[in-house]
Amino acid sequence: MDAATLENYAVGRWTPGASNLVDLPSAVTDEIVARTSSAGLDFKAMANHARTVGGPALRAMTFHDRAWMLKDLAIALNERKEELYALNPHTGATRKDGWIDIDGGVGTLFSFSSKGRKELPDDKVLMDGMAEQISRHGTFMGQHVLTPLQGFALHINAFNFPVWGMLEKLGPTLLAGVPAIVKPATATAFLAEAAFRMLVDTGRLPEGAVQLIVGSTGDLFDQLTGQDVVSFTGSASTAAKLRNHPRVMAESTRFIAEQDSLNASMLGPDATADSPEFDLFVKEIAREMTSKAGQKCTAIRRGIVPGPLLDAVQDALSARLAKVTVGDPRLEEVRMGALVSRSQRDDVRAKVLDISREAQIVFGDPDNVEVVGVDAQNGAFFSPILMRCDAPWSARAVHDVEAFGPVATLMPYDGLDDAIKLCNRGQGSLVMSLFTHDPHATRDVVLGSGAFHGRIAVIDRDSAKESTGHGSPLPVLIHGGPGRAGGGEELGGERGLAFYQQRVAVQGFQGTVQASFGAPAKE
Amino acid sequence: MDAATLENYAVGRWTPGASNLVDLPSAVTDEIVARTSSAGLDFKAMANHARTVGGPALRAMTFHDRAWMLKDLAIALNERKEELYALNPHTGATRKDGWIDIDGGVGTLFSFSSKGRKELPDDKVLMDGMAEQISRHGTFMGQHVLTPLQGFALHINAFNFPVWGMLEKLGPTLLAGVPAIVKPATATAFLAEAAFRMLVDTGRLPEGAVQLIVGSTGDLFDQLTGQDVVSFTGSASTAAKLRNHPRVMAESTRFIAEQDSLNASMLGPDATADSPEFDLFVKEIAREMTSKAGQKCTAIRRGIVPGPLLDAVQDALSARLAKVTVGDPRLEEVRMGALVSRSQRDDVRAKVLDISREAQIVFGDPDNVEVVGVDAQNGAFFSPILMRCDAPWSARAVHDVEAFGPVATLMPYDGLDDAIKLCNRGQGSLVMSLFTHDPHATRDVVLGSGAFHGRIAVIDRDSAKESTGHGSPLPVLIHGGPGRAGGGEELGGERGLAFYQQRVAVQGFQGTVQASFGAPAKE
């Protein structure tokens, strides 16, 4: 393919970086897919454009107007998605991996469009809860309402989901009525840029509603105010650096991060080697390890297993992993493609070595992998690696080091309390899953572990067929987790709009408040 | 009075600071009211005590259990409140000022108790919204639930409301099921400590549920994890320093701040010099300037007036302020007491000088004030100061400098759009008020200014009699504001519990989720 020069979309114009172009190699073949830079952009002008043009245009629309707009964006992406699937293998991803990213992203837009039309009013202001009676005779009342922030949203996205990662933030932002400036991760910016271009091509977005930076954000952080927000997905170290920016501090700029996460999956105490939940557990870990080559923030990193079942789980899981064909993601027979880059592969390998000081590698070789259809030397290929840690309470790295690839560690527990504590030892994560057929165990785990996780997926024989699985964030459920996971919260239907809105308590005469908000009318 | 040595309440024991006692002078007479220090405390042990003793005890209670506990605490404070009123004048406050702090604080506890019993389940886990259908045949569903964080809440309170400030944070925290470590501001710690002691004396609080630090927090910040929260009320500079703590960053510890705020009050474009709203506006500014000697985070700092009415407002307001008797807050005829300390008075004076470079002082003298009943030299007395800024768009300090005393500035506007922009020029505040009889103006102001304020009080002839006023946060409405105000959110009934809870999306088989949470049962 030709090595295209990616373009920024700034102040309503497509423009390549003026200098310092960076080569973006294919994760599979190492050929240069694109070149990219944001040098020469006027970031202050971009901020002003969002604030003075994009924001007012979006705020002039009702929730329904914006929801219909999202639907048109989703339809346009859906019609042109094969162009995105053509680029997808260069990120290392199979078509099935791409489905999570591309169709998953489009589905998220559709979901927010649907929620917007069905659950939000055809108005510009959103009621929050019921009126509060704050006076004895009812002449003075309170009503919480939500109004869009009057700045812009800066979205800093991760490399692993260039399309979904962009759309899962854009959907709630645009529906809330706030313009966005999107900064995709450099490694897969070619795919994000292509999807972004399709959005602009629809002509459905008001001027200034979205802008794109395919490179460094320059001095954009210096433009932030208390009306702007930053939504960051990436590493904890980068998040800490950005959160610390003097402007973010001085202006109380809202900042959410979705960062590292050592997600756990627990096989319930009621499971036996021949219970359906045992098989479901093994299958899910194998799937989570190999889907997207394990490059999912939500992937299972720690398998928490009743002590007596540990050997059986290890054997069954190893047998499954042995069937995984690694190689050129364009081939139908390939189950797992490449990591996003060779530097990322080296990082995963180093982390595996770190963890393996406390855990035994029981499947896979971090230095060798058999690859089909392409030269292993050119691509960022890596074997699935299963480890086993028999003494998890004296280990550190298994709970603290996230190897962002096809890597997981099994560990035994002794009783439900111990299992809950092991889950929580991850110090905050995006998701945990529980394979149990016992509702009491479910309740105990939610009460005991709920504070440490943004999502708990309970999977059993009754739900498995329709289950969306451990690793899939859904647009109608929140995505994000406390502590190590960054403390952020995204999606969750209407909840996902809160970050882009200000809640304000309006107090006044009952008639005045009702006349102002009680009968939402399109203006 | 005797200069008592205040005591910390740490790991279930009352203990004075071991050294470095600080003298706390009366704001009125300069006599030493108390001495205080936290030297010698084992802050790590306090954190562990909260986490391992207080948290589990509170989490073992249902919302109703905790709500009944709050009611008993409120009743006990109410019965002993005269002991608090006896200390209150030494903070500079009149009995009426004390009512906001002491009765206001007790009322907040009663309100959270009532909300807890009426709106929350008799259970340990709280449903958040309706179940989400996430599968075609309904065998896999999603339900958001809220569970208490498993760490502790560190409350860092401001000097101006030693009782209310403590209780408005404790109410939601304890109702949520999270233990608290309270650090009152030093200047008025004698009043906070007395109220805290009454809470402990009830015997109703489980061991470890509350602890008190009457001095520096030592190395307590080094103990913070992602399960802990910090709720800070005070200056923007201190907030920024604490937010930046490496531990807060590394652990994504939740941090909310309620800091500076240049709250605006707008006289609507429909007002005339003889409309009821004109009089209500003037009365409210006078009240806000002098109540608590203007030491309220919510006080009106900027009066935004239709240009043609500026002279009339200035005259009417000056006439009102001229009637304000300043002096010993223990005297019935005194309408306004002292600032909290002489250093605070010097700070207010310096800020007035700063603002007066762009605005004209039209009432009061920052260097002189007539005082009744006590020697002006010994107390932190300060005159109400009204300023007027005829060119607000070329001024800076009137919008950016908060003189935390009986100080406000009037400024003219030209049309509603201009008025809205002037309100927003405060760059985020806790509250604004609007005096109008026009519902359209109300809607326009909420849409135009809502993003910059946590609360908008609309007051007119119909609501005035029952209005709770510009400056009163209510337990059922949120308190906090974006940008300069710190970006925090407290109170608001059930909303106030969110900061102390983790929202988790539980996915599973319909029957399992219903069996686990559908029928809340006391265990």
Side-chain angles (χ1 to χ4, degrees):
Chain A
M1 72 184 294
D2 290 337
T5 298
L6 304 184
E7 291 187 302
N8 304 278
Y9 188 66
V11 196
R13 280 185 302 276
W14 286 102
T15 171
S19 57
N20 304 320
L21 289 165
V22 173
D23 289 341
L24 306 185
S26 164
V28 177
T29 63
D30 209 36
E31 66 179 320
I32 303 305
V33 179
R35 297 188 169 86
T36 194
S37 162
S38 66
L41 292 187
D42 181 343
F43 297 97
K44 188 173 179 179
M46 291 179 75
N48 286 340
H49 189 62
R51 253 194 258 287
T52 59
V53 180
L58 287 167
R59 292 199 297 278
M61 299 165 73
T62 67
F63 286 108
H64 287 198
D65 294 338
R66 296 178 208 136
W68 286 113
M69 175 181 78
L70 292 185
K71 186 168 187 186
D72 289 342
L73 299 180
I75 288 170
L77 286 173
N78 206 43
E79 282 171 355
R80 295 178 64 183
K81 68 183 171 188
E82 286 307 323
E83 298 172 47
L84 303 177
Y85 277 107
L87 293 168
N88 174 58
H90 293 296
T91 70
T94 65
R95 183 159 182 115
K96 208 169 170 184
D97 294 339
W99 186 85
I100 310 172
D101 187 35
I102 298 166
D103 277 277
V106 171
T108 301
L109 277 192
F110 274 123
S111 173
F112 273 92
S113 171
S114 166
K115 283 269 177 193
R117 285 174 288 127
K118 289 178 189 158
E119 298 180 10
L120 303 183
D122 193 18
D123 196 3
K124 299 167 187 175
V125 64
L126 191 56
M127 299 299 104
D128 174 62
M130 308 295 285
E132 293 282 346
Q133 292 307 326
I134 52 176
S135 60
R136 193 173 299 261
H137 301 292
T139 62
F140 195 62
M141 49 124 28
Q143 172 67 55
H144 291 92
V145 304
L146 295 155
T147 65
L149 292 178
Q150 296 190 15
F152 64 90
L154 172 55
H155 295 165
I156 302 179
N157 299 332
F159 68 77
N160 54 341
F161 289 109
V163 180
W164 176 84
M166 178 167 73
L167 298 178
E168 65 102 9
K169 292 189 201 288
L170 273 182
T173 305
L174 293 173
L175 186 56
V178 174
I181 299 178
V182 179
K183 187 247 177 300
T186 300
T188 54
F190 54 90
L191 183 46
E193 190 246 31
F196 185 93
R197 194 178 285 272
M198 292 176 188
L199 300 178
V200 174
D201 284 352
T202 62
R204 274 294 267 132
L205 285 158
E207 179 60 44
V210 296
Q211 299 180 79
L212 181 73
I213 300 174
V214 287
S216 126
T217 52
D219 64 355
L220 189 54
F221 267 72
D222 296 323
Q223 315 304 326
L224 293 171
T225 73
Q227 288 292 309
D228 307 314
V229 302
V230 180
S231 176
F232 171 85
T233 304
S235 74
S237 56
T238 307
K241 204 183 98 189
L242 296 177
R243 249 188 229 274
N244 250 315
H245 190 282
R247 196 76 188 176
V248 171
M249 288 288 157
E251 299 280 329
S252 306
T253 304
R254 293 187 193 180
F255 189 104
I256 45 168
E258 196 259 83
Q259 53 194 46
D260 307 353
S261 189
L262 281 112
N263 311 293
S265 184
M266 188 202 299
L267 180 58
D270 54 314
T272 59
D274 53 7
S275 64
E277 286 72 26
F278 181 99
D279 290 332
L280 292 166
F281 177 72
V282 167
K283 201 169 159 187
E284 190 71 355
I285 297 190
R287 187 165 72 148
E288 286 292 314
M289 285 177 72
T290 54
S291 163
K292 282 288 289 186
Q295 297 169 108
K296 295 196 305 189
C297 311
T298 54
I300 297 171
R301 303 289 171 209
R302 301 182 300 138
I304 297 180
V305 180
L309 292 180
L310 190 59
D311 288 336
V313 167
Q314 175 187 323
D315 291 346
L317 188 47
S318 298
R320 275 205 162 258
L321 293 173
K323 290 189 208 146
V324 172
T325 310
V326 179
D328 186 336
R330 289 167 291 200
L331 300 178
E332 270 208 23
E333 68 266 34
V334 164
R335 286 268 304 280
M336 186 172 107
L339 297 182
V340 74
S341 66
R342 291 194 285 180
S343 73
Q344 198 59 31
R345 182 195 58 191
D346 295 344
D347 182 72
V348 172
R349 186 178 285 146
K351 300 257 170 79
V352 166
L353 289 181
D354 193 359
I355 299 169
S356 69
R357 281 187 206 104
E358 301 169 339
Q360 180 191 351
I361 296 178
V362 295
F363 180 89
D365 177 349
D367 295 315
N368 289 295
V369 57
E370 199 181 311
V371 166
V372 302
V374 69
D375 185 346
Q377 294 314 305
N378 289 334
F381 296 101
F382 196 75
S383 169
I385 301 288
L386 182 66
M387 289 180 275
R388 169 187 173 135
C389 175
D390 283 286
W393 283 115
S394 50
R396 183 200 59 82
V398 292
H399 308 296
D400 290 340
V401 175
E402 185 186 22
F404 203 66
V407 180
T409 305
L410 299 174
M411 58 194 79
Y413 71 80
D414 181 13
L416 188 56
D417 266 6
D418 187 47
I420 287 171
K421 285 191 186 116
L422 281 171
C423 289
N424 300 354
R425 176 61 182 82
Q427 292 175 260
S429 71
L430 295 170
V431 52
M432 69 164 282
S433 52
L434 168 64
F435 290 78
T436 184
H437 195 53
D438 174 4
H440 298 291
T442 298
R443 185 176 164 93
D444 288 347
V445 166
V446 171
L447 285 173
S449 274
F452 290 81
H453 306 280
R455 184 163 57 86
I456 298 181
V458 186
I459 298 172
D460 67 3
R461 62 196 76 173
D462 297 321
S463 68
K465 201 174 161 196
E466 288 202 302
S467 161
T468 50
H470 169 104
S472 299
L474 297 182
V476 300
L477 301 181
I478 60 153
H479 174 58
R484 189 197 302 279
E489 195 179 82
E490 299 184 301
L491 299 176
E494 188 179 322
R495 296 171 190 82
L497 276 62
F499 184 62
Y500 303 98
Q501 296 173 312
Q502 173 67 35
R503 177 146 54 191
V504 53
V506 180
Q507 296 173 283
F509 180 62
Q510 191 134 16
T512 305
V513 175
Q514 279 169 351
S516 305
F517 308 111
K522 198 157 169 171
E523 286 167 356
Chain B
M1 72 185 293
D2 289 337
T5 299
L6 303 185
E7 291 187 302
N8 304 277
Y9 188 67
V11 196
R13 280 185 302 276
W14 286 103
T15 170
S19 57
N20 304 321
L21 288 166
V22 173
D23 288 341
L24 306 185
S26 164
V28 177
T29 62
D30 209 36
E31 66 180 321
I32 303 306
V33 179
R35 297 189 169 85
T36 194
S37 163
S38 67
L41 292 187
D42 181 344
F43 296 98
K44 189 173 179 178
M46 291 179 75
N48 286 339
H49 189 63
R51 252 194 259 287
T52 60
V53 179
L58 287 167
R59 292 199 298 277
M61 300 165 73
T62 67
F63 286 108
H64 288 198
D65 294 337
R66 297 178 208 135
W68 286 113
M69 175 182 79
L70 292 186
K71 187 168 187 184
D72 288 344
L73 299 180
I75 289 170
L77 286 173
N78 206 44
E79 282 170 356
R80 295 177 63 183
K81 67 183 173 188
E82 287 306 323
E83 298 172 47
L84 304 177
Y85 278 106
L87 293 168
N88 174 59
H90 293 296
T91 70
T94 64
R95 183 157 182 117
K96 207 169 170 183
D97 295 337
W99 185 86
I100 310 173
D101 186 36
I102 297 165
D103 277 276
V106 171
T108 300
L109 277 192
F110 274 123
S111 174
F112 274 92
S113 171
S114 167
K115 284 270 176 192
R117 285 174 287 126
K118 289 178 188 159
E119 298 180 10
L120 303 183
D122 194 18
D123 195 3
K124 298 167 188 176
V125 63
L126 190 56
M127 299 299 106
D128 174 63
M130 308 295 286
E132 293 282 348
Q133 292 307 324
I134 53 176
S135 61
R136 193 175 299 262
H137 301 293
T139 62
F140 195 63
M141 47 117 42
Q143 172 67 57
H144 291 92
V145 305
L146 295 156
T147 66
L149 291 177
Q150 296 190 18
F152 64 90
L154 172 56
H155 295 165
I156 303 179
N157 299 332
F159 68 77
N160 53 341
F161 289 109
V163 180
W164 176 83
M166 177 167 74
L167 299 177
E168 65 102 8
K169 291 189 202 291
L170 273 182
T173 305
L174 294 172
L175 185 57
V178 174
I181 299 178
V182 179
K183 186 247 176 302
T186 301
T188 54
F190 54 90
L191 182 47
E193 190 246 31
F196 184 94
R197 195 178 284 272
M198 292 176 188
L199 300 178
V200 174
D201 284 352
T202 63
R204 273 294 267 131
L205 285 158
E207 179 60 45
V210 296
Q211 298 179 80
L212 181 73
I213 301 173
V214 287
S216 127
T217 52
D219 64 355
L220 189 54
F221 267 72
D222 296 323
Q223 315 303 326
L224 292 172
T225 73
Q227 289 292 310
D228 307 314
V229 302
V230 180
S231 177
F232 170 86
T233 304
S235 74
S237 57
T238 307
K241 204 182 100 190
L242 297 177
R243 249 188 229 273
N244 251 315
H245 191 281
R247 195 79 187 172
V248 172
M249 288 287 157
E251 299 279 329
S252 307
T253 305
R254 294 187 192 180
F255 189 105
I256 44 167
E258 196 259 84
Q259 52 195 46
D260 308 353
S261 190
L262 281 111
N263 311 292
S265 184
M266 187 202 300
L267 181 58
D270 54 313
T272 59
D274 54 7
S275 64
E277 286 72 27
F278 180 100
D279 290 332
L280 292 166
F281 176 73
V282 167
K283 200 169 159 188
E284 191 71 355
I285 297 188
R287 187 166 72 148
E288 286 293 313
M289 286 176 71
T290 55
S291 164
K292 282 289 287 186
Q295 297 169 110
K296 295 197 305 190
C297 312
T298 53
I300 297 171
R301 303 289 170 207
R302 301 181 300 140
I304 297 182
V305 181
L309 292 180
L310 190 59
D311 287 337
V313 167
Q314 176 188 324
D315 291 346
L317 188 48
S318 298
R320 274 204 163 259
L321 293 173
K323 290 189 209 145
V324 172
T325 310
V326 179
D328 187 337
R330 290 167 290 202
L331 299 178
E332 270 207 24
E333 68 265 36
V334 164
R335 284 270 304 282
M336 186 172 106
L339 298 183
V340 74
S341 67
R342 291 194 286 180
S343 74
Q344 199 58 32
R345 182 195 58 191
D346 296 344
D347 183 71
V348 172
R349 187 178 285 145
K351 299 261 170 75
V352 167
L353 289 181
D354 193 359
I355 299 169
S356 70
R357 282 188 205 104
E358 300 169 339
Q360 180 191 353
I361 296 177
V362 295
F363 180 90
D365 177 349
D367 296 314
N368 289 295
V369 56
E370 199 181 311
V371 166
V372 301
V374 69
D375 184 346
Q377 293 313 305
N378 289 334
F381 296 100
F382 196 75
S383 168
I385 301 288
L386 182 65
M387 288 180 275
R388 169 186 173 136
C389 175
D390 283 285
W393 283 114
S394 50
R396 183 200 60 83
V398 291
H399 309 295
D400 291 338
V401 175
E402 185 185 22
F404 203 66
V407 179
T409 306
L410 299 174
M411 58 194 79
Y413 72 80
D414 182 15
L416 188 56
D417 267 5
D418 187 48
I420 286 171
K421 286 192 184 112
L422 281 171
C423 288
N424 300 355
R425 176 61 183 83
Q427 292 174 260
S429 71
L430 296 170
V431 53
M432 68 164 282
S433 52
L434 167 64
F435 290 78
T436 184
H437 195 52
D438 174 5
H440 297 291
T442 298
R443 185 174 163 92
D444 288 346
V445 166
V446 172
L447 285 172
S449 275
F452 290 81
H453 306 279
R455 184 163 57 86
I456 298 182
V458 186
I459 299 172
D460 67 3
R461 62 196 76 174
D462 297 321
S463 68
K465 201 172 163 197
E466 287 203 304
S467 161
T468 49
H470 168 104
S472 298
L474 297 183
V476 300
L477 301 181
I478 60 154
H479 174 57
R484 190 198 302 279
E489 195 178 82
E490 298 185 300
L491 300 175
E494 189 179 321
R495 296 171 190 82
L497 276 62
F499 185 62
Y500 302 97
Q501 296 173 312
Q502 173 67 34
R503 177 146 55 189
V504 54
V506 179
Q507 295 172 283
F509 179 62
Q510 191 134 17
T512 306
V513 175
Q514 279 169 352
S516 305
F517 308 110
K522 197 158 171 171
E523 284 167 356

